[in-house]
Amino acid sequence: MGGQLILIRHGIAEERTPEGDDFYRKLTEAGVEEMTAFLPDIAPLLTEAGNLKIWTSPLVRARQTAELVAEAAAVEVIQPQEFLATGDYAAFREALELEEDGFNLALVGHEPYMSNWTKEFIGAAIPFKKGAVAYFTIDLNADPIGKLEWLLAPGESAKRKHEDAADKKHAADKHEGTADCGPCDGEGTLYAGIINEQIVGVQHAYAAYQQDPVEPESAHALRVAIRQLRALLNFNKANGEEKYYREAGEDWRDIATTFGYLRELDVLMEECRELRGLYPDMLAEDGQVMTWLMEERQAEQDSIHELITSGALTERILDAEAATVQFLKSISLDDEQQKKATIKKLEKMKKRLMRKWEEVDFSNHEETHSLRINAKKLRYAATYLAPIIGEKDKTVIKEMKKVQTGLGTLCDLDINGHLLLEMADKTDDPELQNHFRKLSEHQFQRREAILNDEAD
């Protein structure tokens, strides 16, 4: 038995107050406007399987959201379900079992229950922004029972998701000459749309990691998605409220750091596999070194798993999203003002980076690491802010990719070398200590050879 399940978190609602009744909190005017603009665009996706039913939490803010969904999807009946207010998954499953095969259900509810239920469906908790919609195909006889087909949120509509570069350029161009419209709500700008798309990208990467934590690229993709988001937030640092920028930046950085050691281990293990031809006995897949590294990775993976299953990491992501929303609200630039500021900032960043490139001491890891990070920030900005400036700055992207790649080898070798020395200190096995130190020396020697070649 199977069908489709659509999880929808309610839109932006009134703030909770100590004296207020949580049941009666309503959608704000901005929440209604956001959902009203978002839902018609995705309604065809909700109804393409036919016979859409809508179940909703009885709480006012959820019921109002359900009514907007019903209007967009031309559904006449909305059925309140208490388990969508309490998060009672067992009660939900009992109700679902009574549905006919081929069901198509939209469930309007709340966090953290939306995230908790996605874990029941696909084995991965997905943080839901307010107004986010996730579409799953369900087979109740399978394990896991669900497959995530798509996840969208206000700011990343189905239409926007499939826009090509020409469409995005047109979207930017149509705002020409609007600089005299005065300050605007930062949530409704092209920049805000780009940030929201990046947040959805983080959500997808977070779900992908949970579904396959053993795959090195899943942790890497999540860290890259977060770094791209942080770089784009940093780009507008001076144009919004500092405290919100700081909160969002620190939250996203902490989340990325959670996966930092795992990524370092993956890079080191890949390096060791490439060196197997030089050290076949030392680096055999079932030998001491690789066995130790795989056990270390498993321990780190288990530690991250505990953070996820406890809900702590998902809560951090939701906090980071909330701070990001507040930062976007505090930015008063309209699209035309943002375009001018973006072009100016990109040029300034490029000049500063190229100046540092001329001055950098390549033997200094801290300097090369810092320069590499700045090159990434500039490349991300030139790539993802293209809808604002009208086109991608291909020259900057190419140059920064070259800088980033060149410095990446130096940085990886330095990190690998020091990581291997730390591992030598962790083990009491003299032979394993010797292996780690020999490999560490090899990394530092390779780095030195590259530096000497550059100097020549």
Side-chain angles (χ1 to χ4, degrees), residues 54 92 102 125 128 160 252 282 310 342 361 365 377 400:
I54 300 175
F92 158 67
F128 274 68
R160 185 182 182 89
W252 289 120
M282 185 191 304
S310 70
T342 299
D361 176 3
H365 173 69
K377 288 180 179 179
M400 292 309 103

Side-chain angles (χ1 to χ4, degrees), residues 86-123:
T86 62
D88 188 340
Y89 183 75
F92 158 67
R93 279 300 299 265
E94 289 180 12
L96 185 61
E97 299 283 353
L98 298 176
E99 291 296 306
E100 295 181 358
D101 189 34
F103 55 78
N104 188 27
L105 287 170
L107 314 175
V108 183
H110 313 265
E111 279 288 73
Y113 310 132
M114 297 286 97
S115 298
N116 294 343
W117 287 15
T118 62
K119 190 165 184 64
E120 297 287 348
F121 296 167
I122 64 173

Side-chain angles (χ1 to χ4, degrees), residues 8 32 49 63 89 113 183 197 221 268 295 318 337 346 407 410 451:
I8 305 173
V32 172
R63 194 171 70 245
Y89 183 75
Y113 310 132
E197 287 184 8
L268 178 57
E295 289 176 351
L318 290 172
Q337 292 166 336
L346 282 171
L407 295 178
L410 290 174
L451 289 171

Side-chain angles (χ1 to χ4, degrees), residues 287-305:
Q288 278 185 304
V289 171
M290 294 305 295
T291 298
W292 196 96
L293 290 175
M294 285 187 284
E295 289 176 351
E296 183 77 354
R297 190 193 192 281
Q298 185 62 54
E300 184 65 11
Q301 183 182 311
D302 291 344
S303 177
I304 294 172
H305 180 69

Side-chain angles (χ1 to χ4, degrees), residues 327-392:
F327 176 62
L328 291 176
K329 286 181 178 179
S330 71
I331 297 174
S332 60
L333 301 182
D334 64 30
D335 285 331
E336 181 61 23
Q337 292 166 336
Q338 184 71 71
K339 179 177 180 178
K340 292 178 180 178
T342 299
I343 293 172
K344 183 177 180 180
K345 180 76 178 283
L346 282 171
E347 188 61 32
K348 185 177 180 181
M349 288 175 68
K350 181 181 177 181
K351 287 181 179 178
R352 185 190 305 129
L353 189 138
M354 297 313 297
R355 184 173 64 251
K356 288 186 176 181
W357 175 264
E358 296 296 329
E359 300 170 351
V360 68
D361 176 3
F362 290 99
S363 65
N364 185 310
H365 173 69
E366 297 302 322
E367 288 189 25
T368 55
H369 182 61
S370 176
L371 188 59
R372 184 190 183 198
I373 290 174
N374 287 329
K376 285 183 181 180
K377 288 180 179 179
L378 180 52
R379 181 167 69 89
Y380 294 153
T383 301
Y384 293 102
L385 297 178
I388 294 174
I389 61 178
E391 61 183 353
K392 291 183 179 180

Side-chain angles (χ1 to χ4, degrees), residues 136-395:
F136 303 85
T137 51
I138 300 293
D139 180 352
L140 295 177
N141 297 318
D143 184 22
I145 66 169
K147 177 184 177 183
L148 177 63
E149 300 295 342
W150 51 262
L151 171 68
L152 295 168
E156 194 206 23
S157 68
K159 184 184 296 182
R160 185 182 182 89
K161 186 177 179 67
H162 299 292
E163 281 180 336
D164 60 20
D167 292 329
K168 289 185 176 182
K169 184 178 187 302
H170 174 71
D173 290 344
K174 73 179 182 180
H175 290 279
E176 289 287 350
T178 60
D180 61 348
C181 67
C184 64
D185 185 348
E187 286 188 290
T189 61
L190 282 171
Y191 174 74
I194 291 167
I195 294 297
N196 284 325
E197 287 184 8
Q198 291 296 317
I199 289 175
V200 171
V202 171
Q203 292 172 330
H204 278 291
Y206 182 49
Y209 169 78
Q210 293 175 73
Q211 292 176 304
D212 193 3
V214 177
E215 168 56 48
E217 280 306 307
S218 66
H220 180 52
L222 177 55
R223 293 185 76 227
V224 169
I226 294 172
R227 284 180 168 179
Q228 289 170 345
L229 176 57
R230 289 189 66 216
L232 296 178
L233 289 175
N234 177 268
F235 190 86
N236 248 329
K237 177 180 178 180
N239 298 321
E241 192 79 30
E242 182 182 355
K243 66 176 181 177
Y244 296 131
Y245 167 78
R246 186 171 61 252
E247 288 175 13
E250 289 176 355
D251 285 345
W252 289 120
R253 181 192 61 205
D254 289 346
I255 296 162
T257 300
T258 300
F259 298 86
Y261 184 49
L262 195 68
R263 176 58 183 167
E264 288 179 353
L265 288 170
D266 287 336
V267 171
L268 178 57
M269 290 170 71
E270 181 60 28
E271 173 72 4
C272 287
R273 291 187 177 99
E274 291 182 4
L275 293 176
R276 191 167 293 162
L278 289 176
Y279 308 104
D281 296 332
M282 185 191 304
L283 295 177
E285 195 67 37
D286 59 351
Q288 278 185 304
V289 171
M290 294 305 295
T291 298
W292 196 96
L293 290 175
M294 285 187 284
E295 289 176 351
E296 183 77 354
R297 190 193 192 281
Q298 185 62 54
E300 184 65 11
Q301 183 182 311
D302 291 344
S303 177
I304 294 172
H305 180 69
E306 288 182 14
L307 283 175
I308 293 173
T309 54
S310 70
L313 193 54
T314 300
E315 192 64 32
R316 283 190 205 172
I317 293 175
L318 290 172
D319 287 344
E321 290 181 3
T324 302
V325 168
Q326 291 301 320
F327 176 62
L328 291 176
K329 286 181 178 179
S330 71
I331 297 174
S332 60
L333 301 182
D334 64 30
D335 285 331
E336 181 61 23
Q337 292 166 336
Q338 184 71 71
K339 179 177 180 178
K340 292 178 180 178
T342 299
I343 293 172
K344 183 177 180 180
K345 180 76 178 283
L346 282 171
E347 188 61 32
K348 185 177 180 181
M349 288 175 68
K350 181 181 177 181
K351 287 181 179 178
R352 185 190 305 129
L353 189 138
M354 297 313 297
R355 184 173 64 251
K356 288 186 176 181
W357 175 264
E358 296 296 329
E359 300 170 351
V360 68
D361 176 3
F362 290 99
S363 65
N364 185 310
H365 173 69
E366 297 302 322
E367 288 189 25
T368 55
H369 182 61
S370 176
L371 188 59
R372 184 190 183 198
I373 290 174
N374 287 329
K376 285 183 181 180
K377 288 180 179 179
L378 180 52
R379 181 167 69 89
Y380 294 153
T383 301
Y384 293 102
L385 297 178
I388 294 174
I389 61 178
E391 61 183 353
K392 291 183 179 180
D393 192 330
K394 295 181 180 179
T395 301

